[in-house]
């Protein structure tokens, strides 16, 4: 039970239940990790009568979810969308998600997620998550106040506004006095859910780190090996284990092997996201998907970007500047060698700076301020005529309110004048990983043959969810809570029934 690999990371291989001499604790459903996927699983398992134990590595619940801005990607006609006058259908939502979150997006998962989205919104509300009936329609990373709805994936920008009817789907729990990255909508998502779990009798143990899986002779997962204050303990799961331990954004080796563009730039994640859930399941034969996919944040202020033009290291535009800033991040990191400059004229700059922002720390000073584009081009060290040509072409069409190259919306498409400022946005990206364990619609972890691993379920960013390549804000808290619920239901019921059948006992809906 204590072998280590040559890299001195704790061992990941499963332990045979026959080796366990004493169980430290036991429950019907044992959930590893008390973030968004974990709490959602715990609630649903407890509602189905299961005795639920959550094991959390840190000193309290929350995980990355409690630090998050709190976007939850929901649509298909949620009561909040309807109340604010936006039309949406599950089909329309799926059309957008399939176009924006690929290539290679899991169509079955996306359709399932879209079909269940309104019910999931109602479930959150029923469990105490508050959403204010207010829409924030300005460019931004998050609403600066407590507005409940915003575009959060480029739905209303090119090219997606021509593929699906634009509808805002970034639902944000109401939170006053937000502090980005400290206490935001994510906290107001987690708090009522944890309170709900507590009322349902869910037990939680903190400062305990899940290390390995325990399997019986049939290959069924029946428990976990944990570590607390340096000692190892075995915890038995009578029905099933739910892995909800987050991404591998902070596992350098896994990042190097799978998503090397993120080397040195983990973001919107916590150090506990060390990939362990993925590794211990892989050691049991689990399959993984989309391990190269990453969310990418871009440290530019959307109000400034929408009013200027973004150019790459060759002085050429490459993205509609009025789109979701996370898409700008991906386009910059994946396709422009992380080289970006923002050009904005004085009038547009003044206008942008007078607006509100949820990320005022992205409003840095320009590196260059010049009287002409020619001068700026020279100051930036770009080849003669490269930037001048870019601005000339852009202005030619912008004078008619058009952007035939990238399709920015007419409201933002205005000729660039002078004086002009240039912001150096090179290497201004960070992100987290989207790939992970391959799961089915019941959140069962699938092995490399495509079969569910008995007794093992997973959700959240240790799994591959609705995003395969592209990203929309809210899809992590969204699929983490949605498939977290499924994991809890399955662990408490479906596979309990299988177990009973295997032992000849009558299968029951609850354990
Ligand atoms: C600043 C910030 C803003 C964000 N904004 C958004 C947003 O607006 N919308 C959105 O969808 N996403 C957002 N995210 C990302 C989102 O929070 C995460 O992707 C999401 O929380 C992942 O859910 P999870 O349940 O997999 O992980 P988490 O919510 O992080 O929960 C995992 C839990 O597992 C615990 N754990 C880890 N290892 C172990 C172990 N070995 N044993 C026991 N416990 C363990 C962790 O401590 C943690 O509590 C943001 C993240 C940050 C940091």
């Amino acid at each position: 039970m204590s072998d280590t690999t040559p890299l001195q990371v704790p061992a990941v291989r499963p332990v045979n239940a026959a080796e366990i001499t004493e169980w430290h604790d036991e429950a019907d459903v044992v959930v590893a990790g008390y973030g968004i996927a974990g709490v959602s699983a715990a609630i649903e398992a407890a509602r189905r009568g299961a005795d639920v134990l959550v094991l959390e590595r840190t000193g309290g619940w929350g995980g990355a979810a409690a630090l998050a801005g709190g976007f939850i990607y929901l649509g298909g006609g949620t009561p909040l969308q309807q109340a604010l006058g936006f039309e949406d259908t599950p089909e329309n939502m799926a059309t957008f998600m399939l176009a924006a979150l690929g290539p290679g997006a899991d169509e079955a998962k996306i359709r399932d997620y879209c079909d269940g989205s309104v019910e999931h919104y109602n479930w959150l509300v029923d469990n105490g998550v508050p959403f204010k009936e207010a829409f924030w329609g300005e460019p931004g990373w998050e609403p600066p106040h407590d507005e409940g709805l915003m575009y959060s994936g480029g739905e209303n920008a090119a090219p997606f506004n021509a593929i699906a009817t634009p509808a805002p789907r970034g639902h944000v729990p109401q939170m006053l006095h937000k502090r980005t990255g400290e206490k935001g909508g994510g906290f107001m998502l987690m708090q009522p859910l944890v309170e709900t779990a507590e009322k349902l009798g869910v037990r939680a143990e903190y400062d305990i780190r899940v290390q390995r899986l325990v399997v019986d002779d049939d290959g069924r997962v029946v428990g976990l090996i944990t570590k607390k204050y340096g000692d190892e303990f075995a915890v038995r799961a009578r029905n099933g284990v739910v892995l909800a331990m987050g991404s591998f954004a902070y596992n350098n080796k896994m990042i190097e092997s799978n998503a090397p563009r993120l080397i040195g730039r983990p973001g919107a994640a916590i150090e506990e996201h060390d990939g362990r859930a993925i590794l211990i399941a892989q050691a049991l034969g689990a399959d993984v998907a989309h391990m190269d996919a990453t969310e990418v944040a871009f440290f530019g202020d959307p109000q400034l970007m929408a009013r200027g033009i973004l150019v790459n290291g060759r002085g050429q535009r490459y993205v509609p500047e009025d789109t979701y800033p996370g898409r700008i991040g991906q386009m910059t990191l994946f396709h422009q060698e992380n080289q970006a400059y923002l050009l904005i004229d004085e009038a547009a700059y003044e206008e942008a700076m007078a607006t509100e922002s949820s990320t005022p720390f992205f409003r840095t000073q320009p590196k260059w301020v010049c009287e002409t584009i020619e001068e700026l081009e020279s100051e930036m060290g770009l080849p003669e005529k490269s930037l001048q040509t870019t601005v000339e072409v852009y202005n030619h069409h912008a004078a008619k309110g058009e952007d035939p190259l990238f399709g920015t919306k007419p409201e933002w498409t205005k000729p660039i004048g002078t004086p002009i400022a240039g912001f150096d946005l090179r290497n201004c990206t960070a992100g987290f990983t989207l790939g992970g364990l391959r799961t089915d619609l019941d959140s069962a972890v699938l092995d490399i043959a495509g079969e569910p691993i008995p007794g093992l379920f997973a959700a959240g960013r240790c799994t591959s969810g609705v995003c395969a390549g592209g990203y929309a804000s809210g899809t992590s808290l969204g699929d983490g809570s949605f498939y977290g619920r499924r994991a809890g239901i399955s662990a408490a019921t479906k596979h309990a029934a299988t177990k009973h059948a295997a032992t000849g006992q009558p299968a029951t809906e609850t354990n």
Side-chain angles (χ1 to χ4, degrees):
M1 229 160 68
S2 58
D3 59 307
T4 52
T5 71
L7 288 173
Q8 296 303 307
V9 294
V12 293
R13 291 206 175 83
V15 172
N16 192 297
E19 289 179 39
I20 308 295
T21 51
E22 186 186 356
W23 294 102
H24 162 74
D25 204 342
E26 64 179 85
D28 296 328
V29 175
V30 180
V31 180
Y34 215 174
I36 186 60
V39 71
S40 305
I43 289 172
E44 292 292 48
R47 285 228 167 93
R48 277 148 189 85
D51 170 33
V52 182
L53 173 65
V54 185
L55 305 175
E56 165 57 43
R57 172 176 166 174
T58 66
W61 54 262
L67 302 175
F71 278 120
I72 312 158
Y73 203 79
L74 299 164
T78 66
L80 189 66
Q81 286 179 315
Q82 290 188 29
L84 292 168
F86 293 101
E87 282 184 23
D88 197 12
T89 62
E91 184 58 36
N92 185 49
M93 181 181 178
T95 302
F96 168 78
M97 290 179 79
L98 286 167
L101 307 184
D106 183 334
E107 181 164 353
K109 216 170 235 185
I110 285 182
R111 293 204 180 279
D112 178 50
Y113 181 81
C114 295
D115 288 344
S117 191
V118 170
E119 186 275 339
H120 191 49
Y121 172 89
N122 291 331
W123 182 86
L124 292 168
V125 171
D126 289 346
N127 285 308
V129 181
F131 295 99
K132 182 176 172 183
E133 278 186 20
F135 172 66
W136 180 258
E138 293 288 312
W141 273 104
E142 294 168 16
H145 317 108
D146 60 349
E147 293 86 354
L149 191 64
M150 183 174 162
Y151 285 101
S152 68
E155 299 84 351
N156 61 339
F160 307 117
N161 54 3
I163 295 172
T165 305
R169 304 192 183 94
H171 290 59
V172 192
Q174 185 176 8
M175 172 97 193
L176 290 169
H177 313 301
K178 293 193 288 193
R179 289 196 301 277
T180 300
E182 293 177 38
K183 219 175 200 188
F187 180 82
M188 280 306 288
L189 171 66
M190 283 301 298
Q191 188 178 48
L193 294 183
V194 170
E195 284 170 4
T196 302
E198 284 168 353
K199 278 184 208 144
L200 288 165
V202 169
R203 293 181 289 135
E205 184 165 351
Y206 297 104
D207 298 313
I208 186 163
R209 187 187 292 208
V210 167
Q211 301 280 86
R212 304 163 76 173
L213 298 169
V214 179
V215 292
D216 67 13
D217 287 339
D218 298 329
R220 166 178 284 277
V221 175
V222 293
L224 293 159
I225 300 297
T226 66
K227 201 167 206 176
K228 185 158 183 157
Y229 307 137
D231 292 324
E232 281 194 341
F233 299 100
V235 176
R236 187 168 166 234
R238 289 185 290 263
N239 284 11
V241 163
V242 176
L243 298 176
M245 288 148 60
S247 77
F248 63 95
Y250 275 92
N251 183 315
N252 292 340
K253 185 164 175 270
M254 290 175 78
I255 287 288
E256 279 170 30
S257 305
N258 298 287
R261 287 193 187 101
L262 278 197
I263 290 175
R265 50 176 66 92
I270 51 175
E271 289 186 23
E272 288 76 17
H273 283 206
D274 63 1
R276 174 150 289 268
I278 299 170
L279 296 175
I280 60 178
Q282 276 188 297
L284 196 55
D287 196 7
V288 291
H290 304 302
M291 293 292 279
D292 62 333
T294 59
E295 178 266 2
V296 183
F298 186 69
F299 307 153
D301 185 278
Q303 290 277 14
L304 286 163
M305 293 193 288
R307 290 173 171 84
I309 59 168
L310 283 164
V311 298
N312 61 17
R314 294 177 295 281
Q316 298 161 331
R317 289 179 69 220
Y318 61 93
V319 67
E321 292 84 356
D322 61 356
T323 190
Y324 167 53
R327 183 166 162 78
I328 293 176
Q330 289 192 326
M331 298 299 278
T332 305
L333 180 62
F334 298 170
H335 304 294
Q336 308 302 333
E337 298 87 37
N338 222 1
Q339 305 292 292
Y341 302 97
L342 170 66
L343 314 186
I344 184 166
D345 67 33
E346 189 175 34
Y349 175 80
E350 299 294 343
E351 188 182 282
M353 294 300 275
T355 62
E356 286 182 286
S357 170
S358 60
T359 48
F361 37 84
F362 287 165
R363 291 185 169 178
T364 51
Q365 291 295 309
K367 184 165 180 177
W368 305 276
V369 179
C370 298
E371 291 302 320
T372 64
I373 305 292
E374 187 180 1
E375 190 188 333
L376 179 63
E377 180 183 80
S378 163
E379 292 274 313
M380 288 171 69
L382 290 169
E384 198 179 335
K385 293 286 181 197
S386 56
L387 195 60
Q388 293 180 71
T389 311
T390 295
V391 174
E392 186 187 333
V393 172
Y394 175 78
N395 280 356
H396 171 76
H397 297 289
K400 294 173 270 177
E402 294 169 1
D403 175 22
L405 281 178
F406 295 98
T408 50
K409 296 185 287 293
E411 64 197 277
W412 301 116
T413 311
K414 295 183 182 134
I416 296 194
T418 51
I420 180 131
F423 288 80
D424 188 349
L425 298 177
R426 288 175 292 179
N427 300 311
C428 284
T429 50
F432 60 86
T433 55
L434 300 170
L437 298 170
R438 192 186 287 277
T439 52
D440 66 13
L441 301 184
D442 291 327
S443 297
V445 176
L446 301 177
D447 67 15
I448 50 173
E451 294 295 325
I453 296 177
L456 189 62
F457 308 89
R461 280 293 61 81
C462 64
T463 65
S464 174
V466 292
C467 296
Y471 190 73
S473 278
T475 48
S476 287
L477 295 174
D479 72 20
S481 51
F482 191 89
Y483 287 106
R485 291 178 60 195
R486 289 281 174 82
I489 294 168
S490 299
T493 60
K494 188 166 183 233
H495 292 261
T498 313
K499 183 177 72 176
H500 293 154
T503 55
Q505 301 299 312
T508 52
E509 181 50 24
T510 62
N511 59 314

